[in-house]
Amino acid sequence: MGNLKEALLYLHDECNYSCEYCMLGGKFEKRKSLASSTDGFNKIVEFFNKHKGCHIFLTGGEPSVYEYFIELAQELTKNNFIRLDTNNSFSEETLQRFIKEINPEKVDFIQCSLHEIDEEETRLKEYIERVKRLQSRGFKCFISYVALPKRVNKIEELIRIMKKENIPFVVTPFRSPEYPKGYSKEERQEIYKFIYSATQRALFEIDERKPKGKECSAGYSRVNINCINGSIKKCWRSNERIGNIYEGTLKLNNSIERCNIDSCTYTYETHLDLEELVCKDLHNVISCKEKYDENIYKEYIKRSL
Ligand code: SF4
Ligand code: SF4
């Protein structure tokens, strides 16, 4: 039986922003998440107390607006590690509590997505201030920026600002049915200049990975959990249910299996021989490297196709 090491925890559909480019269409037909009840919260905590030493990626929706966000972070970091995908819109109270009550050594990284609403001058200053407060407490933060065609011309200035503030800044191509194929040649060239993440750059180049037939730790040591109904799948692209967090069930594979899915673009859920590259690349990004690692870039392409 596998040993759970990584889990993506999709907490809820709730968000305090409504970005037009949101994966959920910015419309949010909000499904009620079972995580919103104390019983649901307790079941999540109980589940991870049985799977100690796991790296749990909290995402949504916006995780910081989850009713029990701080309490969940507190509980999960007792026996596990968390990673956070947030829009960095923390209320003052939430930020203060997070900084005071959560051990930075139990947080792998905080990915702060910078959205259009926060690009206005005053809001941007406040946004940066929040990142710096997290950084000064020892949290590893980086800003990710979705390069929508209309935002491409802002990248250079934002990179200048973040460099001055010593905040890692990751440009990611926009993905939708039309993009990234729909970028003009000029937009592509502009984006390429500023993609310092080797894996993002490689994925932009090849558009999608072709994992079918490759060994993957999904379902063996990594799972994807949807807290809305509790269903556990091996990864985002899979339809097969392998457990339910509210029922405390999980059936991991006995060994690493081969992927049967044709294509995948998801950043952190990759087949086995890309995991090491993603990890190294993330380290480079968090270390504020300004040039992408060419070896990682080439290897990622080679191993993806
Ligand atoms: S902040 Fe994130 S989850 Fe919220 S609307 Fe924007 S893209 Fe969607
Ligand atoms: S390679 Fe990707 S799509 Fe295939 S099982 Fe692994 S995570 Fe899922």
Side-chain angles (χ1 to χ4, degrees):
M1 179 73 97
N3 174 19
L4 193 61
K5 293 199 185 113
E6 275 183 63
L8 183 143
L9 199 63
Y10 184 94
L11 281 171
H12 59 187
D13 284 346
E14 306 292 324
C15 186
N16 49 346
Y17 287 7
S18 69
C19 311
E20 63 176 271
Y21 44 84
C22 183
M23 197 175 63
L24 299 174
K27 295 182 190 79
F28 285 111
E29 271 184 40
K30 291 175 189 154
R31 299 164 291 177
K32 181 90 180 144
S33 173
L34 293 175
S36 300
S37 66
T38 43
D39 188 47
F41 167 81
N42 289 335
K43 291 272 168 48
I44 295 171
V45 172
E46 216 173 280
F47 179 88
F48 282 108
N49 282 341
K50 275 199 242 149
H51 297 281
K52 295 187 169 62
C54 192
H55 295 263
I56 307 158
F57 195 12
L58 299 179
T59 184
E62 170 53 35
S64 71
V65 299
Y66 168 54
E67 290 90 330
Y68 308 112
F69 171 63
I70 297 291
E71 290 77 9
L72 185 66
Q74 278 175 333
E75 288 299 327
L76 295 183
T77 51
K78 283 181 185 163
N79 295 310
N80 298 286
F81 300 86
I82 58 167
R83 303 161 171 191
L84 193 56
D85 174 20
T86 174
N87 61 19
N88 183 35
S89 63
F90 300 104
S91 67
E92 182 54 31
E93 189 199 341
T94 304
L95 185 63
Q96 278 190 22
R97 286 193 65 195
F98 193 86
I99 286 173
K100 197 167 155 217
E101 297 172 33
I102 307 302
N103 178 357
E105 286 177 12
K106 303 304 285 289
V107 180
D108 294 332
F109 61 83
I110 302 177
Q111 174 175 340
C112 300
S113 308
L114 175 61
H115 296 293
E116 274 185 310
I117 187 172
D118 287 316
E119 285 172 4
E120 179 273 322
E121 205 179 332
T122 310
R123 287 188 67 113
L124 186 62
K125 276 192 189 139
E126 291 165 357
Y127 186 99
I128 290 173
E129 186 54 34
R130 289 193 290 277
V131 176
K132 292 190 78 69
R133 283 169 65 189
L134 287 162
Q135 280 183 322
S136 63
R137 168 83 167 107
F139 292 103
K140 297 178 205 78
C141 303
F142 65 92
I143 293 181
S144 67
Y145 188 80
V146 179
L148 281 181
K150 65 176 175 180
R151 298 175 96 195
V152 172
N153 62 357
K154 296 180 183 163
I155 298 175
E156 192 160 12
E157 174 62 2
L158 284 167
I159 285 188
R160 192 191 61 72
I161 295 170
M162 300 312 166
K163 194 174 169 188
K164 206 166 126 224
E165 300 290 350
N166 215 12
I167 300 175
F169 188 79
V170 182
V171 176
T172 60
F174 178 45
R175 288 202 174 270
S176 74
E178 295 81 30
Y179 285 87
K181 286 201 175 91
Y183 283 118
S184 68
K185 199 173 151 212
E186 293 72 28
E187 285 164 349
R188 273 191 104 80
Q189 282 170 347
E190 199 60 18
I191 295 169
Y192 266 126
K193 280 201 278 182
F194 301 115
I195 303 188
Y196 302 149
S197 154
T199 59
Q200 284 292 346
R201 193 180 183 89
L203 201 49
F204 190 28
E205 175 78 32
I206 59 178
D207 198 23
E208 60 184 12
R209 299 188 298 270
K210 309 242 182 277
K212 198 169 193 171
K214 298 189 167 105
E215 288 188 330
C216 182
S217 61
Y220 174 72
S221 59
R222 171 158 47 88
V223 296
N224 187 305
I225 305 172
N226 184 341
C227 291
I228 290 175
N229 57 14
S231 83
I232 307 179
K233 300 187 300 181
K234 61 180 184 173
C235 72
W236 192 264
R237 292 295 322 276
S238 169
N239 291 323
E240 188 196 341
R241 292 187 183 207
I242 56 172
N244 188 296
I245 196 164
Y246 301 122
E247 292 159 14
T249 54
L250 174 62
K251 191 172 180 320
L252 291 171
N253 295 333
N254 291 323
S255 57
I256 300 257
E257 294 197 344
R258 291 186 187 275
C259 173
N260 59 5
I261 290 160
D262 289 321
S263 85
C264 184
T265 58
Y266 194 66
T267 313
Y268 297 112
E269 288 184 338
T270 63
H271 51 277
L272 194 59
D273 62 355
L274 288 185
E275 284 183 10
E276 178 208 355
L277 298 178
V278 171
C279 195
K280 277 191 194 160
D281 188 45
L282 188 64
H283 175 77
N284 287 347
V285 163
I286 293 170
S287 318
C288 256
K289 291 237 164 90
E290 279 177 39
K291 170 94 178 72
Y292 71 95
D293 182 316
E294 214 160 326
N295 287 335
I296 296 180
Y297 168 76
K298 284 186 186 153
E299 268 306 303
Y300 189 97
I301 292 181
K302 197 169 110 193
R303 297 181 195 183
S304 294
L305 299 175

